[in-house]
Amino acid sequence: MGNKIGRLLRNLFIILGFMIIPLGIFAGIFFSEMSDYTMYEDEVMELRLTASDLEHEFYHPTRFIPMPNGEYAIFTETVSDDYNLVEWSPETGEINNRYSIDSDTFGDSFVVYQSDDVIFVTKGDDNRVNLYQYQYGQEPTLIEHGILYNDYYLNQNSTRFGNDFFTVGSNSEGDYAALALIDGNVTITNFSQMDNIENITGIEMHPNAANYPVVKLSNFEREEFYYDLMQPDASLENFNDLSRTEIDDQYINQFTDAETFLTSTTDTIHAVNLFSPDLTLLNPDTFLLMGKTNQQANGPVRAFLLNETGEDLLMELPDSDIWIAFDGGYDPQASIVNDTLYLSTTEEAGVISLASGELVSSTGLEDFEAAIEDTVIELEQEADRLEAEGETFSLEKVQHFATQSIDGHGILWFSLLMFVIPIFGLSIVFYFMGRKRRNIKKAYANGAEIVPAKLISMKRTGVTINDNPQVRMTVEYTFRRQVKQGEVTEVIDMLQPPQVGDEFDLLYDPVRDKLFTLDE
């Protein structure tokens, strides 16, 4: 039957060879591929993309907005003409979050302050007026309201009066309408559906009403109509007589022509020695007066609060670069909320406490650009550090390559497979060897005896183990002087196969009437 112990050892060495050699080959492939692997490749790419976005996506700030919580938000135009709202902390220099905003290419916006948040208004690419509710640290949400389209520049047909917002345009049916945001509540007035106004051909905020919300309408007969949006619940009789072409409402007269009002404040202006004075209405009781201290175009700017008549100087506001941007900037906006003055322009912004008369905080384009530059440098340095660390050999890199890389995954799993298959095969061999030992032990317990046997014939079963065939042998044996025939299955050595007529000993179990081969 051959030397089964030697055959077992040979098979064991073959199995171990099949385990060790592939593992060595795949280990070489693994470490070769890993040498070109950067452990933090995704993280490095993310950092560099973020740095690139900061350099190119924050292309042009269009408004700096001081927030009630002391931080700042900035509208920025990107190189692709998209608009973002960026959250920025000037104190730490951190650019925290960025939100996409629907705005047309002009990027006009209005800001209305509330106690803890703001409502800002933009005009989308489809000319739709958008109202966003926004609290610092949370994504702005659109306020649902009736659809209103503005076919002009947003700041041409819109106004802020106090801390309320008004605009005019047309709805989805083409009706002429006005939107009023008063104390955080939105109402829309549809003029085309009013019985006493027919054939409307145009609508606008009245140009001579400063920022008081008076709507001017015209019709085919070239008649003009006026409507006071501060009294949306008033009867239609609040419309002026059709023949009238001037507005004489007491509020409009009060806030109408800035030049007329400035004339009434001549004594105040002379008292503070201002040149090229300018007025901004903050609320029905308060005006913001600004002017240069000399006749130079870039001269210093001073600012004051006046009462509604312009005769009383309420407060001189602290010196700040904000006033230069506010005096000469595009579309400056100011609001008083909870005894706090919020100032917003395209280049500067700030907060002034009216209780103390002190500048609480301020920032602007120069600070923001410096923060972006510093942030870009920090991101690039961090990317360089991670890239260098990721290229250095370490156990962490081995683990990272094996668990995070697609190539590492493939090599690891394939090598594990090549390791498991021989282990599985070896387990099967040991299982059957153990099974045979258990069968022989049980046979002896059943009174088995070693019997002489002679090979009569053999036939292959179709199973091959390590290139050696398994055969079913028919033998003749003698048990207790009785000649019998039986079968036994065995894997034979292909180089030294048994021959018909060969004699060898077998173990016969009389209880189970079964033959077993014996190890030599």
Side-chain angles (χ1 to χ4, degrees):
M1 295 296 293
N3 192 332
K4 292 188 177 181
I5 295 177
R7 186 168 61 190
L8 176 62
L9 292 174
R10 183 187 66 188
N11 291 339
L12 182 60
F13 282 120
I14 291 174
I15 291 174
L16 291 175
F18 274 111
M19 291 169 57
I20 294 173
I21 293 174
L23 284 177
I25 294 173
F26 284 112
I29 297 174
F30 182 88
F31 287 106
S32 175
E33 291 291 328
M34 193 185 71
S35 63
D36 298 327
Y37 175 72
T38 300
M39 180 165 52
Y40 301 115
E41 186 173 3
D42 292 340
E43 291 84 348
V44 169
M45 183 179 297
E46 181 68 24
L47 288 170
R48 298 203 190 282
L49 285 175
T50 302
S52 178
D53 283 347
L54 286 174
E55 285 186 298
H56 301 102
E57 288 302 303
F58 298 157
Y59 175 68
H60 177 61
T62 61
R63 179 167 300 283
F64 287 79
I65 306 170
M67 296 298 296
N69 71 335
E71 305 294 359
Y72 284 79
I74 306 169
F75 283 112
T76 63
E77 179 185 7
T78 70
V79 291
S80 56
D81 290 332
D82 295 325
Y83 281 83
N84 293 323
L85 181 68
V86 179
E87 295 180 340
W88 178 46
S89 175
E91 186 174 346
T92 63
E94 292 182 359
I95 296 172
N96 298 315
N97 296 302
R98 178 174 51 173
Y99 311 106
S100 178
I101 299 299
D102 181 23
S103 176
D104 62 9
T105 56
F106 301 102
D108 293 334
S109 60
F110 286 83
V111 181
V112 174
Y113 282 84
Q114 302 187 103
S115 296
D116 300 320
D117 56 16
V118 300
I119 296 175
F120 62 84
V121 187
T122 67
K123 191 182 79 168
D125 285 328
D126 59 353
N127 292 332
R128 178 174 177 173
V129 176
N130 299 312
L131 273 64
Y132 289 90
Q133 188 96 29
Y134 168 58
Q135 188 169 17
Y136 193 90
Q138 300 180 14
E139 185 170 0
T141 56
L142 278 169
I143 298 175
E144 294 296 331
H145 62 83
I147 296 176
L148 189 74
Y149 296 100
N150 186 326
D151 295 331
Y152 300 92
Y153 298 114
L154 182 63
N155 63 351
Q156 283 187 342
N157 264 346
S158 304
T159 187
R160 288 174 66 255
F161 182 67
N163 203 31
D164 300 320
F165 171 79
F166 307 87
T167 189
V168 296
S170 59
N171 61 19
S172 54
E173 286 75 33
D175 292 344
Y176 291 98
L179 181 149
L181 175 63
I182 302 176
D183 295 331
N185 299 312
V186 180
T187 59
I188 292 183
T189 303
N190 189 326
F191 297 106
S192 296
Q193 299 299 319
M194 292 184 175
D195 295 335
N196 62 339
I197 307 177
E198 297 180 353
N199 302 320
I200 299 176
T201 58
I203 185 172
E204 62 179 323
M205 301 302 296
H206 197 282
N208 294 328
N211 50 352
Y212 188 79
V214 176
V215 178
K216 175 183 176 182
L217 301 113
S218 56
N219 64 5
F220 280 123
E221 289 75 25
R222 297 185 179 179
E223 297 172 316
E224 293 181 349
F225 306 83
Y226 304 100
Y227 190 72
D228 183 354
L229 289 176
M230 287 299 293
Q231 304 179 45
D233 297 328
S235 67
L236 295 180
E237 295 177 357
N238 280 344
F239 279 88
N240 291 321
D241 188 88
L242 299 183
S243 63
R244 300 177 63 180
T245 59
E246 296 181 357
I247 304 172
D248 60 0
D249 184 274
Q250 58 177 343
Y251 293 104
I252 301 171
N253 280 334
Q254 184 175 356
F255 306 122
T256 177
D257 191 348
E259 294 299 326
T260 302
F261 187 75
L262 281 172
T263 301
S264 69
T265 62
T266 300
D267 293 340
T268 304
I269 293 171
H270 285 172
V272 295
N273 194 26
L274 292 182
F275 295 87
S276 302
D278 190 23
L279 282 169
T280 300
L281 180 65
L282 299 179
N283 57 44
D285 302 319
T286 312
F287 278 90
L288 173 65
L289 172 65
M290 292 179 297
K292 295 179 174 61
T293 58
N294 57 46
Q295 297 184 15
Q296 297 179 4
N298 59 348
V301 177
R302 297 175 70 188
F304 303 85
L305 293 184
L306 304 180
N307 69 346
E308 70 275 10
T309 65
E311 298 175 354
D312 295 331
L313 183 65
L314 302 178
M315 176 187 298
E316 179 174 3
L317 299 172
D319 292 337
S320 173
D321 291 339
I322 300 174
W323 303 123
I324 299 176
F326 210 87
D327 184 54
Y330 173 75
D331 192 23
Q333 296 179 23
S335 300
I336 295 178
V337 179
N338 297 332
D339 217 18
T340 301
L341 176 60
Y342 295 94
L343 302 166
S344 169
T345 74
T346 58
E347 295 185 357
E348 298 283 339
V351 179
I352 296 175
S353 170
L354 300 183
S356 65
E358 296 180 351
L359 181 68
V360 177
S361 68
S362 66
T363 191
L365 181 60
E366 185 176 341
D367 295 334
F368 183 60
E369 289 179 341
I372 290 178
E373 184 177 350
D374 291 342
T375 303
V376 168
I377 292 174
E378 291 175 2
L379 290 171
E380 290 290 354
Q381 289 176 343
E382 179 65 10
D384 292 340
R385 185 190 70 80
L386 287 178
E387 191 171 49
E389 183 178 329
E391 291 175 351
T392 304
F393 180 82
S394 64
L395 292 178
E396 184 181 2
K397 182 177 179 179
V398 174
Q399 180 184 9
H400 199 279
F401 179 66
T403 58
Q404 303 297 324
S405 167
I406 295 177
D407 292 339
H409 269 329
I411 297 172
L412 179 65
W413 284 109
F414 198 75
S415 57
L416 286 175
L417 185 64
M418 295 302 294
F419 180 78
V420 167
I421 290 176
I423 291 292
F424 181 72
L426 192 60
S427 299
I428 292 176
V429 170
F430 284 125
Y431 171 77
F432 282 106
M433 288 178 57
R435 182 181 177 186
K436 184 174 181 179
R437 285 195 298 270
R438 289 191 297 273
N439 281 329
I440 292 176
K441 185 177 180 180
K442 186 175 181 179
Y444 279 118
N446 291 336
E449 296 180 8
I450 297 175
V451 296
K454 182 172 67 175
L455 178 60
I456 298 176
S457 66
M458 63 181 178
K459 184 180 180 180
R460 287 194 177 191
T461 63
V463 176
T464 301
I465 299 176
N466 294 333
D467 294 331
N468 291 320
Q470 184 186 65
V471 297
R472 183 174 293 107
M473 297 181 292
T474 302
V475 297
E476 184 179 87
Y477 63 96
T478 303
F479 177 70
R480 296 179 182 175
R481 299 181 181 180
Q482 183 177 0
V483 178
K484 295 184 176 184
Q485 283 192 357
E487 291 183 346
V488 64
T489 302
E490 180 69 4
V491 176
I492 64 173
D493 188 345
M494 194 64 181
L495 299 177
Q496 297 177 343
Q499 303 294 324
V500 174
D502 285 353
E503 294 183 354
F504 44 84
D505 291 335
L506 295 175
L507 182 68
Y508 176 68
D509 182 351
V511 175
R512 291 181 290 176
D513 190 23
K514 191 171 183 180
L515 293 168
F516 299 96
T517 58
L518 296 170
D519 294 329
E520 294 183 0

